Amino acid sequence: MVDETSKDKLVVKDLNVRYGTKEVLRQISFAVRSNEILGIIGPANSGKTSLLRTLNRLNDNDAAFSMSGTVTLDGQDIYKKMAPHTLRRKMGIIFALPTPLPLSIYENIAYGPKLHGTRNKTALNEIIERTLRASFLWDEVKDRLDMPAMKLSGGQQQRLCIARTLAVEPEIILYDEPCSGLDPISTAKVEEAMTLLTKQFTQILVTNNTKQAARVSDRTAFFLTGELVEIDETQRIFTVPCDQRTEDYVSGRFG
Amino acid sequence: MKLDARLTEKVVFFLLLLATLVIVVPVFLIAGLIVKNGFAALSWEFLTQSPRLGMRAGGIFPAIVGTMYLVFGTAVFALPAGIFAAVYLCEYAKESRLTRIIDVAIVNLAGVPSVVYGLFGLGLFVVFLKFGTSILSGSLTLAIMSLPVIVTASREALNSVPQSFREVSLALGATRWQTISRVVLPNALPGIITGAILAISRAAGETAPILFTVAAFYLPRLPQTLFDQCMALPYHLYVISTQVPNLKPHIQYGTTLVLILMILIMNLTAVFIRAHFRKKKQW
Ligand SMILES: Nc1ncnc2c1ncn2[C@@H]1O[C@H](COP(=O)(O)OP(=O)(O)OP(=O)(O)O)[C@@H](O)[C@H]1O
Ligand SMILES: [Mg+2]
């Protein structure tokens, strides 16, 4: 458990997000602490994906997108004080569907480091082995790194995506329902990887699976139709939540 | 009168077959006629010698070379311009009134008759920019004529690259240009090249655009610089068919056959590239 004095890494204040005239997030304020795993739960349409895409500025080119409020990373406003590529290098994202590039396993992971100037072969090899080990994929692919990544199974692809994100050494990793398409064993491997990664990274895990949030996150936030209902230590959210709606949702009595 | 259903079926089938034959038969007749009569003209001398005796003997070498120069020149100008325009429209420009006007303009440009491009090239490149009747003017004119098709094909190819590839690259800290050059373009390139080859091969067979901008009736030697005129197969064919009396017809057929073969080779290359990458494509 992270103690109360630990520093706030990412601070969201009065965030409102719209697509066109549709309001998808209303007056969201919360902070993410260094090296914690923050779980975000909530039913479909509660704005979880929209929140992650706003944090990572992936909506920048969407003409319908508009927002107000501030998001700061280490005290710096990510929309006013940072170039999007600088921000995204510090904040990686894993999408719900595994998204390998149409390259080999090796080249998928090397893509990020090469972008940022690592050309040295031994350095790249080292990065690839280290990140594949961290995502529990190394043993399954170490003999066939030249294979097209799209030939891997879904669960392996998702772990490859995690390795690829680790390879650019971000500070924060966002996960958008990373296990929604995975079997229990792959899911367990992803969760184990996340738990070990807390030493170096701050992580935000959006999940439709409340049990997963209960298993891996330090704190959990509950979103409902664009509003942040409650954020607290995971244990409290799942045992003694303040809000009735949270209790209904985590106990499966919702809707 | 009540038609039996099976009879209707037969009549419809017959009509559809007839329509298909109306399209296919002339193509085979033309191709067969050209091959049959042109094949006799094909010889080493025909392919490697200049015309002699007022085009009535010798070969068509300068016209073959000229057409190759023009194809190459067209590609050099049209490919980068077409690809960059498509990248701008697909990857940078936000949907707006301007982009919609550009869309309409491109569609309409593709339908402009080739003689209009020829006159435009004459006005702009030959006269206004003082490039004279030259390979440069001709290539630029053909390039402008092929641009709408190249831009349209390139945009289709770019749009077919999944959005998730772009987001993955951006999410790893790539800038927009890095994403385009490392992920989007490599995956769109086969489609772009295929479209470009088809557009340029069509341009290679055109007479009207080169008529006023580059083509020479007869040149005693091969062009030396970009500012020289050159002979070209389509124009040569036009000349020997209309301006030279008492020509043995097999020379016309031979010239036609060479022109068609060159275009066929380019089109087959495009088809091959497409088939090859479709097989390799992983998404
Ligand atoms: N790019 C977009 N353009 C327009 N509307 C969008 C866009 N992205 C999301 N929305 C809308 O925002 C609302 C919230 O969607 P969002 O994807 O954030 O929900 P979610 O909580 O992630 O749901 P799920 O659990 O199903 O993934 C939805 O009504 C959706 O239609
Ligand atoms: Mg979602």
Side-chain angles (χ1 to χ4, degrees):
Chain A
M1 260 324 100
V2 182
D3 64 48
E4 292 299 325
T5 57
S6 68
K7 185 164 153 278
D8 287 342
K9 180 83 185 159
L10 185 75
V11 179
V12 176
K13 199 149 175 291
D14 300 331
L15 179 69
N16 291 284
V17 169
R18 292 162 174 274
Y19 291 108
T21 54
K22 188 174 162 46
E23 222 173 17
V24 296
L25 288 173
R26 265 187 308 280
Q27 288 300 114
I28 307 293
S29 298
F30 66 95
V32 189
R33 299 170 187 161
S34 288
N35 296 78
E36 79 169 338
I37 299 181
L38 175 68
I40 295 184
I41 57 173
N45 192 31
S46 52
K48 307 178 300 288
T49 300
S50 307
L51 174 68
L52 293 192
R53 293 178 63 86
T54 305
L55 296 182
N56 209 17
R57 292 189 62 173
L58 278 173
N59 288 321
D60 279 19
N61 299 325
D62 188 334
F65 169 81
S66 65
M67 61 163 278
S68 65
T70 57
V71 181
T72 53
L73 172 64
D74 291 326
Q76 265 198 316
D77 189 315
I78 65 164
Y79 276 89
K80 302 211 176 84
K81 291 271 148 59
M82 271 188 214
H85 60 271
T86 322
L87 166 74
R88 296 193 196 108
R89 198 181 160 179
K90 295 184 180 182
M91 183 144 41
I93 185 165
I94 313 287
F95 299 99
L97 292 174
T99 45
L101 292 171
L103 302 168
S104 68
I105 297 173
Y106 186 100
E107 289 300 332
N108 258 279
I109 302 177
Y111 183 84
K114 280 185 178 172
L115 273 179
H116 305 306
T118 310
R119 300 249 160 238
N120 182 302
K121 196 87 181 146
T122 33
L124 285 175
N125 288 341
E126 185 275 322
I127 290 173
I128 281 153
E129 178 168 350
R130 177 166 49 79
T131 55
L132 281 174
R133 281 187 191 283
S135 60
F136 293 96
L137 189 57
W138 176 251
D139 290 329
E140 289 160 58
V141 301
K142 61 173 182 244
D143 303 319
R144 42 180 183 151
L145 294 175
D146 291 328
M147 192 178 91
M150 296 208 173
K151 294 232 167 86
L152 291 170
S153 78
Q156 291 173 326
Q157 288 184 12
Q158 194 61 301
R159 279 176 280 149
L160 176 72
C161 292
I162 295 177
R164 187 175 61 191
T165 298
L166 297 179
V168 296
E169 303 189 350
E171 295 165 15
I172 301 183
I173 305 177
L174 314 173
Y175 302 84
D176 190 0
E177 297 174 29
C179 301
S180 53
L182 305 192
D183 70 294
I185 294 175
S186 298
T187 302
K189 284 184 181 167
V190 170
E191 288 177 8
E192 191 175 353
M194 291 179 67
T195 316
L196 291 177
L197 290 172
T198 49
K199 287 196 205 89
Q200 300 164 55
F201 305 96
T202 305
Q203 299 173 91
I204 302 181
L205 168 67
V206 164
T207 174
N208 263 340
N209 178 348
T210 46
K211 293 205 185 76
Q212 181 171 50
R215 280 195 299 268
V216 298
S217 59
D218 300 304
R219 292 191 308 149
T220 299
F222 174 55
F223 277 72
L224 185 62
T225 54
E227 277 174 62
L228 172 56
V229 175
E230 186 168 359
I231 176 168
D232 209 334
E233 302 299 326
T234 298
Q235 230 177 348
R236 292 179 58 86
I237 290 280
F238 283 92
T239 51
V240 283
C242 299
D243 199 291
Q244 183 61 39
R245 291 170 294 174
T246 314
E247 177 158 1
D248 288 348
Y249 184 71
V250 297
S251 58
R253 261 182 283 136
F254 210 81
Chain B
M1 191 176 73
K2 199 168 155 238
L3 268 180
D4 168 43
R6 272 180 41 211
L7 183 63
T8 322
E9 189 77 354
K10 274 189 183 150
V11 170
V12 169
F13 173 79
F14 178 75
L15 286 176
L16 294 177
L17 182 68
L18 199 67
T20 314
L21 288 180
V22 166
I23 298 164
V24 172
V25 168
V27 172
F28 275 96
L29 280 182
I30 295 170
L33 199 67
I34 291 170
V35 172
K36 179 170 163 284
N37 293 308
F39 202 71
L42 289 194
S43 66
W44 188 244
E45 193 204 355
F46 188 68
L47 295 175
T48 57
Q49 303 275 307
S50 286
R52 278 181 287 115
L53 308 175
M55 320 280 193
R56 289 182 190 84
I60 55 168
F61 181 63
I64 296 177
V65 171
T67 287
M68 283 182 172
Y69 283 163
L70 289 176
V71 164
F72 186 74
T74 306
V76 165
F77 294 121
L79 267 184
I83 294 175
F84 286 133
V87 165
Y88 172 75
L89 290 170
C90 286
E91 309 288 329
Y92 284 97
K94 291 212 169 124
E95 176 88 14
S96 70
R97 243 178 79 176
L98 180 68
T99 57
R100 276 194 296 275
I101 292 173
I102 293 176
D103 282 348
V104 174
I106 288 175
V107 170
N108 282 306
L109 275 177
V112 171
S114 57
V115 66
V116 175
Y117 283 104
L119 289 168
F120 173 78
L122 172 67
L124 180 62
F125 304 121
V126 179
V127 177
F128 183 73
L129 293 173
K130 300 197 172 64
F131 294 159
T133 12
S134 62
I135 295 180
L136 183 62
S137 300
S139 302
L140 285 167
T141 307
L142 290 174
I144 287 189
M145 193 185 87
S146 354
L147 266 178
V149 180
I150 296 183
V151 171
T152 306
S154 304
R155 288 176 76 176
E156 265 164 36
L158 290 168
N159 284 333
S160 75
V161 176
Q163 193 60 25
S164 64
F165 291 3
R166 296 181 179 81
E167 294 199 338
V168 162
S169 171
L170 292 173
L172 292 168
T175 60
R176 274 219 264 178
W177 174 245
Q178 284 172 327
T179 300
I180 291 165
S181 63
R182 293 176 192 225
V183 176
V184 182
L185 275 181
N187 283 295
L189 214 52
I192 294 177
I193 297 292
T194 306
I197 294 177
L198 293 178
I200 292 170
S201 80
R202 203 202 118 207
E206 286 285 350
T207 313
I210 57 175
L211 193 58
F212 322 110
T213 55
V214 51
F217 186 88
Y218 171 76
L219 289 174
R221 51 184 197 131
L222 293 178
Q224 307 296 311
T225 74
L226 273 182
F227 293 97
D228 287 350
Q229 284 187 282
C230 69
M231 296 174 70
L233 283 171
Y235 182 65
H236 185 69
L237 189 58
Y238 165 75
V239 164
I240 58 177
S241 309
T242 58
Q243 319 282 315
V244 183
N246 306 327
L247 186 89
K248 287 203 203 82
H250 76 263
I251 294 188
Q252 289 167 21
Y253 280 114
T255 310
T256 312
L257 185 60
V258 171
L259 176 59
I260 287 183
L261 282 179
M262 280 177 72
I263 290 172
L264 188 70
I265 288 172
M266 283 197 269
N267 288 358
L268 285 180
T269 313
V271 170
F272 175 79
I273 291 177
R274 185 159 49 195
H276 178 73
F277 282 93
R278 186 166 293 163
K279 215 164 53 197
K280 256 183 56 179
K281 186 155 124 176
Q282 300 166 24
W283 39 277

